[in-house]
Amino acid sequence: MHFSIPDTQELGSSPTYTAYNIHINGIHYCVLRYKQLHSLNEQLRRHCVGVPLPPFPPKRLLPLTSGQLEARRSSLEQYLQAVGQDNRLARSVHLQQFLQRAQLDTALAEGQVATDCEEQQLEVQVYTNPAGERILVSCSVQQNASALLKSVCRELQLPEELVRFFCLFLVRRQKKSGDLHLVRRLIDFESPYITRLQVQPCELLLRTCYWDSSRDAKLTGSKVALNLLYNQTVADVNREWVVICTPGEGRQLNSLQLQGRAREYMDLVRQLPSYGCLQFDEAQVDYPEPNTMALISIGNKELALRTAHGVKIYETKFRVTRMRSWRVSVTHNTLESRLQPSHLQLAFEYLIGKQTLRWITINSEQAMLMSVCLQAMVDELLQRGCGSGKDEDEEQEQNAVTSSSSTPSSTCSTSTWASSSCSTSTAPTTPPVRFLSEDSATRSKPRLTTSRTFGAVFFRNDVVDNGARVANGAFEGIGDDDL
C-alpha cells in the first residue's frame, strides 16, 4: 500500500483540532486525528510482537506551531509509508480493521452515509458473456471488498476455493469511445460502496487477479470459472488488450468462438505474447526520447511500451526482473487533493546493460495502479522462487480473522510493497512541502466543519527517498551471456 498525507484540516469549533487527510494508493481514503494514529501504533506494538515498528512522532503538551504541524504531518506520512512497505504490518488484521473503520467513520462524519447499518445494492459487472453482465448484489455500507467479492462469487455459484483467483476493480467507461479505463483494484479491507461514492462515475468489475497464466489450469476444472475466464479473454481480445499477431490466428479464434469451444480458444490465445496483460491508457514517457506518447501494458513479467513513428508501431519491453526499484511521485494541489491528485508519475530504475542503470518515467493518472501491478508480479515471482507448495493468498485466507463486519482475508496482490529495505538518498536542502493557509467555506456537516485548511501546494513524496522507493526483491543482475 502507498500512503500519503498531502494536507491537513483544522476541524471543530471550540477547541479546534488538526485532522490529517490520508490517501491510499493515490486516492483520498479517510480523515484521522493524531490520537487515532497513536492508538493504531500502540495496537501494532501490542499485537505484532517481534516486528520492528517505524518511529512514531511523539506527543506534545503545548499547541503546535505551523512548522511543528508540518513536521508532524511529514513524520506521520513517513510512518504510514514504512508500515505499508512491511508486508508483516500491512497484512496485519489490526491495521486492516483500523483502516476499514476509519473509512466508515469518515463517511459518517461527512454525511456520505446515514448509519453504519445502512443496506444498499451495488451493481457489479461480471463476464458471464463477452459483453459483460451487470448483477445486483445486496451489501452493507460497512461490508468490505473481500466480503463483497465472496457475495458476488456465491451469486455466480463459483466454487468457494476459487474465489481467491478473482478480485474487484474500479473501472470507468470513456464517454466518447466506450473504452474501459482501469481506475484501480479495490483493497480487500475498504468499503466498495463508500469508495464508489467518492470516485464517481465508476463501475465495479470482476476480473482474475493473478499474473502467472499457468494458474488458468486451476480454473478450467470448474464450468463457472472457465466461463468467466473465457468471456473475460474474449472481451480483452475484442478491445485489443490481447494483440492477435497474424490474420490466421484471428480467423482461428473467431472460428473457435463461434463454435463455443472455450477450452480450445483458451489454449490458442494463451500462446499470444500479450495474453494476461492489463492495458493502460496512452501516457507520456521519456523513452526512447522525452515527451513520447505510448500505450502501456503490464503482464508476462514485463512492462511494454508501444510507440508510433510514422506509420510504424514499435514495442519496447522492460522485464520486471531488470527493474532494480521504482517509485511513484504524487503532486497534489491543495484544493483538489481530496478528489484527485493533479499529477502522478511512475519512475523505474532499469538495468539497460551491464553496470548501466537508467531511470525511465511514465506520466499517467494510472501510475499508482501500474506500481501495484508491478509489485503483484514481483510477489508472484518471489513466491514461486521460494518453491512454496501453497499459494500465499491461500495461507492468508486460512489465517485471516473473519467476522460479520467482513474482516479482510487477503492483500496478496493488491498494494503491499516489497519488505526488503529501500534505498535512501540524502535529504534535500529545501523542504518538499510548502504550506499555505486557505480560508474555506464552512461545511454544513456538523461533525466535520472546516474553518481552515492547511495543505501542501505541491508535494512529491519521493523527494525524501526513504519510504518512497520500492526495492525489487526479484531483481536480477546481467551477466556476460545476457549482453
Side-chain angles (χ1 to χ4, degrees):
M1 286 179 288
H2 183 280
F3 288 92
S4 64
I5 308 177
D7 53 14
T8 64
Q9 301 180 61
E10 192 171 320
L11 305 179
S13 54
S14 180
T16 61
Y17 61 88
T18 299
Y20 299 87
N21 292 321
I22 311 297
H23 289 236
I24 300 181
N25 292 346
I27 294 178
H28 181 266
Y29 183 80
C30 64
V31 179
L32 290 172
R33 297 179 66 174
Y34 170 84
K35 67 178 184 180
Q36 292 172 293
L37 291 167
H38 184 273
S39 175
L40 168 64
N41 182 64
E42 292 303 308
Q43 285 186 57
L44 295 178
R45 190 180 305 280
R46 286 195 305 269
H47 297 290
C48 299
V49 180
V51 181
L53 291 176
F56 190 85
K59 291 182 177 181
R60 290 181 180 271
L61 297 177
L62 299 177
L64 302 182
T65 65
S66 295
Q68 290 172 329
L69 278 173
E70 157 56 5
R72 174 175 281 186
R73 183 211 62 81
S74 178
S75 297
L76 288 172
E77 180 175 64
Q78 291 177 33
Y79 170 83
L80 288 176
Q81 286 177 348
V83 167
Q85 290 171 14
D86 190 320
N87 287 341
R88 298 165 297 179
L89 297 174
R91 292 171 179 166
S92 162
V93 170
H94 305 285
L95 174 66
Q96 295 182 356
Q97 287 179 334
F98 174 87
L99 292 173
Q100 180 179 337
R101 187 69 213 181
Q103 184 189 30
L104 178 60
D105 287 344
T106 300
L108 287 168
E110 295 185 340
Q112 294 176 329
V113 295
T115 69
D116 57 3
C117 299
E118 189 176 329
E119 292 288 331
Q120 296 287 344
Q121 284 193 318
L122 282 178
E123 269 192 358
V124 181
Q125 184 174 345
V126 296
Y127 285 115
T128 51
N129 60 65
E133 173 192 2
R134 288 176 173 83
I135 64 172
L136 279 175
V137 182
S138 297
C139 71
S140 164
V141 296
Q142 63 177 309
Q143 191 175 38
N144 65 20
S146 178
L148 180 65
L149 173 63
K150 292 176 183 177
S151 298
V152 172
C153 292
R154 278 196 300 269
E155 186 78 18
L156 297 172
Q157 299 183 343
L158 182 73
E160 187 176 349
E161 66 271 13
L162 300 181
V163 173
R164 60 194 176 88
F165 294 105
F166 293 86
C167 66
L168 294 171
F169 277 88
L170 273 177
V171 299
R172 186 179 292 129
R173 297 280 176 184
Q174 306 287 17
K175 291 183 179 179
K176 294 183 179 179
S177 63
D179 291 341
L180 195 68
H181 168 88
L182 294 172
V183 178
R184 66 185 179 93
R185 174 181 166 172
L186 290 183
I187 311 172
D188 285 357
F189 56 76
E190 69 181 308
S191 164
Y193 178 76
I194 297 174
T195 298
R196 193 167 175 270
L197 285 177
Q198 297 172 339
V199 197
Q200 290 281 14
C202 275
E203 304 173 17
L204 294 173
L205 173 68
L206 181 74
R207 282 188 66 92
T208 51
C209 64
Y210 54 87
W211 297 94
D212 184 356
S213 60
S214 66
R215 294 190 175 190
D216 285 356
K218 298 188 178 183
L219 303 184
T220 54
S222 162
K223 184 177 179 181
V224 174
L226 174 61
N227 186 53
L228 290 171
L229 177 63
Y230 165 70
N231 286 309
Q232 172 185 298
T233 305
V234 172
D236 288 351
V237 170
N238 291 341
R239 65 171 65 100
E240 297 182 354
W241 285 16
V242 178
V243 180
I244 298 173
C245 300
T246 66
E249 290 173 339
R251 288 190 294 270
Q252 272 186 285
L253 289 173
N254 286 333
S255 175
L256 292 172
Q257 183 181 348
L258 290 173
Q259 297 174 51
R261 296 164 63 183
R263 293 181 187 277
E264 290 87 346
Y265 184 99
M266 291 302 304
D267 289 340
L268 178 59
V269 79
R270 205 175 285 116
Q271 300 172 25
L272 299 176
S274 54
Y275 173 73
C277 295
L278 286 184
Q279 182 74 52
F280 297 86
D281 298 343
E282 189 177 42
Q284 186 186 73
V285 301
D286 64 353
Y287 188 91
E289 54 190 31
N291 302 319
T292 298
M293 300 305 295
L295 285 175
I296 298 162
S297 63
I298 293 179
N300 296 323
K301 298 180 286 187
E302 296 171 333
L303 183 150
L305 305 179
R306 275 188 285 167
T307 56
H309 296 272
V311 296
K312 294 184 177 181
I313 295 178
Y314 297 88
E315 186 173 53
T316 307
K317 294 184 176 181
F318 300 94
R319 293 168 57 185
V320 71
T321 52
R322 298 288 193 243
M323 297 178 186
R324 190 172 76 164
S325 62
W326 66 85
R327 65 189 178 209
V328 178
S329 303
V330 187
T331 305
H332 289 288
N333 180 293
T334 303
L335 301 179
E336 299 173 357
S337 63
R338 289 291 303 271
L339 303 177
Q340 183 69 33
S342 57
H343 181 73
L344 282 165
Q345 181 188 87
L346 171 71
F348 58 91
E349 192 178 19
Y350 194 75
L351 196 58
I352 297 289
K354 191 174 183 181
Q355 297 182 342
T356 304
L357 288 160
R358 172 176 171 177
W359 281 98
I360 295 168
T361 61
I362 301 171
N363 296 300
S364 168
E365 65 179 45
Q366 296 172 299
M368 199 68 72
L369 178 58
M370 294 178 193
S371 176
V372 169
C373 291
L374 291 174
Q375 185 59 56
M377 280 196 291
V378 169
D379 286 345
E380 284 193 8
L381 285 169
L382 293 175
Q383 178 186 329
R384 190 169 58 185
C386 291
S388 173
K390 182 181 289 188
D391 288 337
E392 186 177 352
D393 47 5
E394 184 177 2
E395 289 182 7
Q396 290 180 35
E397 185 76 26
Q398 294 173 353
N399 295 334
V401 178
T402 57
S403 67
S404 59
S405 63
S406 317
T407 299
S409 61
S410 162
T411 55
C412 177
S413 59
T414 43
S415 54
T416 52
W417 302 82
S419 59
S420 52
S421 60
C422 299
S423 304
T424 58
S425 62
T426 304
T429 55
T430 57
V433 183
R434 283 193 301 117
F435 263 67
L436 296 178
S437 173
E438 296 281 349
D439 291 331
S440 61
T442 302
R443 298 186 184 184
S444 59
K445 309 296 184 290
R447 291 183 58 196
L448 200 60
T449 306
T450 305
S451 56
R452 273 195 305 167
T453 298
F454 290 93
V457 180
F458 293 107
F459 167 65
R460 293 174 60 88
N461 59 15
D462 66 321
V463 175
V464 180
D465 215 13
N466 51 331
R469 182 186 299 185
V470 180
N472 182 1
F475 176 72
E476 299 173 355
I478 293 182
D480 293 336
D481 294 339
D482 296 310
L483 300 177

